[in-house]
Amino acid sequence: MKKQLPALRTLSLANFALLLLCAVTFNVAAQTEMTGGISPAEADRIIRAFTTKETQFRNALNQYSFKRDALIQTIGMGGQVTGEYHRVSTFTFDDSGNRFEKIGYFPMPTMTEVSVTAEDIEDLGGINPFALEPRKVDKYNFKYVGKEKIDELNLYVFDVAPKVMPTSKKLEDRLFLGRIWVDDQDLLIVKTRGKAVPETKQNKYPTVETYREQIDGRYWFPTYSYADEELIFDSGQAVHLRMKVRYTDFAPARATLKVTEIGEEEGGGGAKEAVPIEGGVLNSKALTLPQPKLSEEAKRQKQSGKITVRVIVDENGKVVSAKAMNGPAVLREIAEEAARQATFKPTTQDGIVVRVTGDLVYDIRN
């Protein structure tokens, strides 16, 4: 054995450069395999490309009006629909990106096992259709997991997760957790699957799959979202939830468009009552916000839960309409009564005092 050492040493010196080259090649190949067939540098390039385009598409959507048809249902043991929330709205945006919603169809929700929360409504306009909000991109970790083919598209697949799980209860602090699919030619997101986080003991959210289509030959906008999942709450309660959301009728629009009520014609004689602008959740904007007072009937039934009341606030900051959207009748009644007593600072838009519609959310405990 010892006699072979000089020959082996001579062989190593003669082929040192070749062996070094092989080692470097093997190392690069190992790193490439770890990222699913592309190098870390290439993965970073793809991430920069699709996050930039995500910003462009989100900004482009601010120049379009569109219709959103959101249907959320609870499903019973036999597959039958046990409750429903259906809301059809038209959206326009102003030059600052502020969103305005005109509700065209919104019957009284019939769900009793769960209620649609302010966070759910916010997700329909934010995280569900556009997973990655431009200003929050630096809050995420991206992990390349491979390639997949859907129809005729070859796609890069990335897992997306917050660098730090948010703990704030503010709607604007919610982040996306899930997976995205990126076209390997144009490097843009064509599909997402995930949910908004954080969740709480009382609020659970389904995993939503969203598909996008090309609009006007330039932009890839969300057109269809779907979820079908059993939500398990910390109490042990299980609720089968199904959601279908369609985004249609995309058209270039400007904020100067006049939004009229259903059946109202532009022009004509007589003054028309202004259509309220959408204000979202209004609790934090209230000057006074009396809490619901438990009636004797509510105490007897020992009912509790979160009740969302849809309100209209007039130009003087007074609530002129209050309608509870969920919960047992005994709680809806006291929540509506409390909502009517709330007051707000008048809202102005472009120097004009306007009406506002939005939600007041009450957590009623017996």
Side-chain angles (χ1 to χ4, degrees):
M1 294 291 290
K2 290 182 179 180
K3 291 182 180 180
Q4 295 176 2
L5 288 177
L8 183 60
R9 185 183 300 114
T10 302
L11 178 64
S12 298
L13 292 173
N15 294 282
F16 177 76
L18 179 60
L19 291 174
L20 180 61
L21 177 61
C22 290
V24 172
T25 302
F26 175 79
N27 185 51
V28 172
Q31 290 184 17
T32 300
E33 185 175 354
M34 287 175 62
T35 56
I38 62 175
S39 67
E42 176 66 4
D44 289 340
R45 183 187 72 84
I46 295 169
I47 292 169
R48 287 195 301 272
F50 72 68
T51 52
T52 298
K53 292 182 179 181
E54 188 78 349
T55 301
Q56 295 171 351
F57 292 161
R58 188 99 180 210
N59 292 337
L61 186 62
N62 289 354
Q63 307 302 319
Y64 280 74
S65 64
F66 61 91
K67 184 172 78 173
R68 185 187 71 198
D69 188 332
L71 176 64
I72 304 174
Q73 299 171 321
T74 50
I75 309 299
M77 294 292 292
Q80 77 279 11
V81 175
T82 58
E84 187 171 280
Y85 175 100
H86 195 182
R87 181 165 169 166
V88 182
S89 308
T90 299
F91 291 86
T92 58
F93 295 80
D94 66 13
D95 294 335
S96 299
N98 298 311
R99 184 179 68 194
F100 297 92
E101 177 184 9
K102 175 190 174 183
I103 300 177
Y105 179 73
F106 191 20
M108 175 69 74
T110 58
M111 295 190 298
T112 57
E113 298 173 85
V114 293
S115 60
V116 176
T117 66
E119 291 83 358
D120 295 322
I121 297 300
E122 185 69 16
D123 290 350
L124 289 176
I127 288 179
N128 289 348
F130 274 104
L132 306 178
E133 189 174 345
R135 66 185 178 88
K136 297 180 181 178
V137 168
D138 61 350
K139 297 181 181 291
Y140 292 104
N141 285 323
F142 298 90
K143 179 183 178 182
Y144 177 72
V145 294
K147 295 196 72 174
E148 184 176 329
K149 188 170 185 177
I150 299 179
D151 296 330
E152 300 301 318
L153 297 178
N154 294 309
L155 307 172
Y156 295 117
V157 185
F158 288 84
D159 280 340
V160 182
K163 292 179 180 178
V164 178
M165 185 61 68
T167 57
S168 171
K169 295 182 180 179
K170 296 181 180 179
L171 296 180
E172 59 268 23
D173 292 336
R174 290 156 59 73
L175 296 175
F176 174 78
L177 174 65
R179 177 166 288 189
I180 61 175
W181 285 257
V182 179
D183 177 62
D184 71 348
Q185 296 298 313
D186 297 326
L187 301 183
L188 47 84
I189 299 174
V190 298
K191 175 185 173 183
T192 63
R193 187 175 188 274
K195 65 168 65 178
V197 291
E199 294 182 312
T200 66
K201 293 181 179 180
Q202 290 79 28
N203 292 345
K204 302 294 180 183
Y205 310 103
T207 298
V208 179
E209 197 163 278
T210 298
Y211 294 85
R212 302 184 184 188
E213 295 181 20
Q214 193 175 48
I215 304 298
D216 287 347
R218 300 176 60 191
Y219 307 118
W220 284 77
F221 291 157
T223 56
Y224 180 67
S225 293
Y226 181 78
D228 193 334
E229 186 177 351
E230 187 175 62
L231 302 181
I232 308 297
F233 293 83
D234 289 11
S235 63
Q237 179 190 16
V239 179
H240 184 180
L241 194 74
R242 181 182 297 158
M243 182 178 76
K244 297 178 183 179
V245 185
R246 295 187 182 276
Y247 304 84
T248 59
D249 300 345
F250 290 94
R254 300 182 64 85
T256 53
L257 288 177
K258 179 183 177 183
V259 181
T260 60
E261 294 285 5
I262 298 174
E264 179 185 339
E265 296 181 359
E266 292 193 29
K272 301 294 184 180
E273 187 178 77
V275 177
I277 66 171
E278 175 62 33
V281 179
L282 301 177
N283 291 57
S284 62
K285 302 175 184 178
L287 294 177
T288 60
L289 187 63
Q291 293 302 302
K293 296 180 180 179
L294 287 172
S295 63
E296 291 302 319
E297 181 64 17
K299 293 177 181 179
R300 186 185 67 80
Q301 294 185 21
K302 298 182 179 180
Q303 296 279 4
S304 63
K306 282 191 175 182
I307 307 297
T308 299
V309 181
R310 190 74 179 170
V311 299
I312 296 177
V313 182
D314 69 8
E315 294 84 348
N316 297 315
K318 180 181 178 181
V319 175
V320 294
S321 174
K323 184 177 183 180
M325 309 312 299
N326 65 287
V330 67
L331 295 188
R332 291 202 303 267
E333 183 178 345
I334 63 175
E336 289 175 349
E337 179 61 29
R340 293 189 187 97
Q341 300 175 43
T343 60
F344 297 82
K345 180 180 178 181
T347 300
T348 60
Q349 182 183 26
D350 298 328
I352 301 174
V353 180
V354 296
R355 289 189 163 208
V356 178
T357 184
D359 297 326
L360 290 175
V361 182
Y362 297 99
D363 191 0
I364 303 175
R365 298 297 169 186
N366 204 318

